[in-house]
Amino acid sequence: MPDNLILKSALIAALFMTMSAPALSREATVAPAPNGIAIPKDYKTWQPLGVSHRTDKDSLRIILANPIATKAATEGKTNPWPDGSMLAKLAWKDSTHPNFAAATVPGELTHVEFMIRDSKKFADTNGWGYARWLGMEQKPYGNDAGFAQECSTCHLQAKETGYVFTRKAPLP
Amino acid sequence: MPDNLILKSALIAALFMTMSAPALSREATVAPAPNGIAIPKDYKTWQPLGVSHRTDKDSLRIILANPIATKAATEGKTNPWPDGSMLAKLAWKDSTHPNFAAATVPGELTHVEFMIRDSKKFADTNGWGYARWLGMEQKPYGNDAGFAQECSTCHLQAKETGYVFTRKAPLP
């Protein structure tokens, strides 16, 4: 390859990388979980399904649902949840509002976690794929793919509601 | 007008009403607040800005922001918030999760309330229009337009953050 062609190719490649970078969402650069699940790139656009305060963890959470899961929850068709349902839970450490002492508000982000419904692909964990990313650096949780058994075992307590703890918060 | 034409018109009108009904959003049928503010029809599609637990009210809240307010909060351009910013707060009474005792979750919906930024229209209340609807029946709050002074007076405590108590919850 002549030198000027190599240079030209390198320049085109550099230009392409520069142009592409802003188009990549923040989520596209996050490492996948050990079971191969990638962080859903559009989760911030999902609708709120619920909220919770964990007194054992001193933690506030918002639970979001993608359109398939929102429809299923609204219609009460959640046992089982339809394939394609996805739920996100965003969890923060408790903090006290700096000028409203009676309000507990989000402090440090502890993790963002997901449940992804695919009754065949995730048959070993009752049809739900689990994944979690820790902190603002979004470090994947778990040493190997076996971590999902830990999630699935705990979620057996919610078997009667399709292995999902969150009930849809009342809203007209 | 001949009788059959009247009948035909009535039938067409009835058919039109029947067809239109499902197209109306739930919010379109809610009575406006005493200051004329109507419930924003697309608020359920707004993104979460924060969450809070009020220990004085035993209440869990989700705070949503429309795209203008989300952008302003993300960029830290919130003093003042740009005109067109809208915030929603959904508030529920505390309840204990039926099979997870350490989790406080939404019980009864107490109210849905909004802050709508228009620095000229709402100059009397520091540039924010306020409105609140109570319960699942969405009864407008306030006896007359003066109710917004009550909201505005309390929000003076948040003057340094553009009269908004909610800070954006950390999220990558």
Side-chain angles (χ1 to χ4, degrees):
Chain A
M1 202 186 264
D3 278 1
N4 63 343
L5 190 57
I6 292 172
L7 186 66
K8 218 180 265 182
S9 302
L11 279 171
I12 288 167
L15 183 66
F16 182 75
M17 286 165 73
T18 311
M19 288 173 70
S20 301
L24 288 173
S25 76
R26 173 71 183 77
E27 284 66 39
T29 64
V30 175
N35 55 0
I37 293 178
I39 199 163
K41 68 180 191 308
D42 59 350
Y43 78 89
K44 289 177 193 169
T45 68
W46 299 352
Q47 290 189 30
L49 183 71
V51 53
S52 68
H53 183 234
R54 283 278 293 271
T55 55
D56 55 338
K57 303 265 187 189
D58 298 327
S59 169
L60 277 169
R61 287 106 188 278
I62 293 178
I63 299 92
L64 306 175
N66 78 343
I68 294 172
T70 296
K71 186 172 184 287
T74 304
E75 295 172 354
K77 296 176 180 171
T78 55
N79 204 3
W81 290 71
D83 277 4
S85 292
M86 293 200 275
L87 303 170
K89 183 177 278 171
L90 325 179
W92 297 272
K93 270 285 175 196
D94 283 354
S95 176
T96 300
H97 193 289
N99 52 348
F100 203 108
T104 303
V105 294
E108 185 190 347
L109 179 77
T110 56
H111 60 269
V112 173
E113 60 191 14
F114 296 86
M115 291 179 69
I116 295 172
R117 183 77 192 171
D118 186 326
S119 50
K120 284 182 190 145
K121 188 172 177 185
F122 304 117
D124 288 351
T125 45
N126 297 307
W128 284 105
Y130 292 88
R132 174 187 283 173
W133 285 266
L134 305 176
M136 287 294 278
E137 65 276 22
Q138 300 194 288
K139 185 177 180 293
Y141 176 83
N143 294 322
D144 55 50
F147 82 91
Q149 287 298 337
E150 181 193 332
C151 313
S152 181
T153 302
C154 180
H155 278 256
L156 283 175
Q157 294 175 71
K159 187 178 177 182
E160 286 179 19
T161 45
Y163 303 99
V164 172
F165 285 103
T166 305
R167 323 281 175 105
K168 190 179 186 307
L171 200 62
Chain B
M1 198 187 264
D3 276 2
N4 65 342
L5 190 56
I6 291 171
L7 185 65
K8 217 179 265 182
S9 302
L11 279 172
I12 288 167
L15 182 68
F16 183 75
M17 286 165 74
T18 311
M19 288 175 70
S20 301
L24 288 173
S25 77
R26 173 72 183 78
E27 284 67 38
T29 64
V30 175
N35 55 2
I37 293 178
I39 199 164
K41 67 182 193 306
D42 59 349
Y43 78 89
K44 289 177 192 169
T45 68
W46 299 352
Q47 289 189 31
L49 182 70
V51 54
S52 69
H53 184 235
R54 282 276 294 270
T55 54
D56 56 338
K57 303 267 187 187
D58 297 328
S59 169
L60 277 168
R61 287 106 189 278
I62 294 178
I63 299 91
L64 306 174
N66 78 342
I68 294 173
T70 296
K71 184 171 185 289
T74 304
E75 295 173 354
K77 295 176 180 172
T78 55
N79 204 3
W81 290 71
D83 278 4
S85 292
M86 294 200 275
L87 303 170
K89 182 177 278 171
L90 325 179
W92 297 272
K93 269 287 174 194
D94 283 355
S95 176
T96 300
H97 193 290
N99 52 346
F100 203 107
T104 303
V105 294
E108 184 190 346
L109 178 77
T110 55
H111 61 269
V112 173
E113 60 191 13
F114 295 87
M115 291 179 68
I116 296 172
R117 183 76 190 171
D118 186 325
S119 51
K120 283 180 190 147
K121 189 174 176 184
F122 303 118
D124 289 351
T125 45
N126 296 307
W128 285 104
Y130 292 89
R132 173 188 283 173
W133 284 266
L134 305 176
M136 287 295 276
E137 66 276 22
Q138 299 194 290
K139 185 178 180 290
Y141 175 83
N143 294 322
D144 56 51
F147 82 91
Q149 286 298 337
E150 181 193 333
C151 315
S152 180
T153 302
C154 180
H155 278 255
L156 283 175
Q157 293 174 72
K159 187 178 177 182
E160 285 179 20
T161 45
Y163 303 99
V164 171
F165 285 102
T166 306
R167 324 280 176 107
K168 191 179 186 304
L171 200 61

